């Protein structure tokens, strides 16, 4: 399976990978998570189009004007992580908070201790979420994993 870390995201665009997706891809393909789950599969360690069988990395060299190797690698890492992640955030949080990227941008900071915290009150999300979202311990861990990954994609860590 794919590595879901975003360490090594390209400094070529140096910013919010989800904004890049929204600006360059979202108009046609929608949000990255549903797109990945609907349109991509893993074949021999590569992401390929579910319908076309075409390699995503190869397609992105020409699609929408073409992308450089760093952007392609960043998109691939993000989409592979989305493909490997069940849509629990969308199911449990999305009705109120829309996308995880928007939640991170608007309401979450990474504390000096490395924990994700609420921007307004500084509370640790891992402690706040179970009661806030009536989440089980497993659901909390899964959503925290998603938020941690998305925070690194949004804030380019």
């Amino acid at each position: 399976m794919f590595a879901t870390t975003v360490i090594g995201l390209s400094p070529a665009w140096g910013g919010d990978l989800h904004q890049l997706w929204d600006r360059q891809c979202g108009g046609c393909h929608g949000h990255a998570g549903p797109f990945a789950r609907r349109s991509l599969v893993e074949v021999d360690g590569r992401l390929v189009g579910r319908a076309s069988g075409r390699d995503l990395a190869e397609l992105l060299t020409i699609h929408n004007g073409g992308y450089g190797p760093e952007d392609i690698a960043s998109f691939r890492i993000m989409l592979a992580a989305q493909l490997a992640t069940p849509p629990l955030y969308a199911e449990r949080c999305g009705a109120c908070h829309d996308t995880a990227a928007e939640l991170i941008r608007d309401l979450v900071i990474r504390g000096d201790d490395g924990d994700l915290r609420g921007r307004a009150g500084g509370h640790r999300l891992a402690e706040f979420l179970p009661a806030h979202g009536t989440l089980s311990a497993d659901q909390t861990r899964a959503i925290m994993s998603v938020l941690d990954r998305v925070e690194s994609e949004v804030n380019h860590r």
Side-chain angles (χ1 to χ4, degrees), residues 79-155:
L79 292 169
Q82 296 278 8
L83 181 62
T85 304
L88 184 62
Y89 176 89
E91 293 167 359
R92 296 304 304 261
C93 311
C96 296
H97 297 294
D98 199 21
T99 69
E102 289 178 15
L103 176 79
I104 293 294
R105 284 185 211 109
D106 296 343
L107 301 173
V108 176
I109 59 171
R110 187 173 297 277
D112 292 338
D113 58 2
D115 290 340
L116 295 180
R117 297 179 172 274
R119 186 176 300 277
H123 52 272
R124 291 182 67 234
L125 290 187
E127 295 170 358
F128 175 75
L129 286 182
H132 174 72
T134 60
L135 301 173
S136 70
D138 287 343
Q139 290 171 325
T140 299
R141 279 189 294 279
I143 288 175
M144 286 303 301
S145 177
V146 166
L147 293 176
D148 189 60
R149 175 180 53 78
V150 171
E151 191 277 337
S152 67
E153 293 166 350
V154 165
N155 293 313

Side-chain angles (χ1 to χ4, degrees), residues 14-44:
D16 183 330
L17 182 57
H18 290 264
Q19 280 185 341
L20 180 63
W21 173 272
D22 292 344
R23 185 176 64 241
Q24 295 295 112
C25 313
C28 295
H29 301 297
H31 293 301
F35 167 77
R37 291 182 203 101
R38 177 182 67 247
S39 302
L40 300 172
V41 294
E42 177 201 354
V43 176
D44 298 327

Side-chain angles (χ1 to χ4, degrees), residues 51-86:
S52 70
R54 191 162 185 193
D55 184 274
L56 176 72
E58 290 175 16
L59 173 64
L60 289 177
T61 63
I62 59 170
H63 185 67
N64 198 25
Y67 296 91
E70 295 88 4
D71 290 337
I72 292 170
S74 295
F75 278 139
R76 186 191 172 288
I77 291 167
M78 180 185 72
L79 292 169
Q82 296 278 8
L83 181 62
T85 304

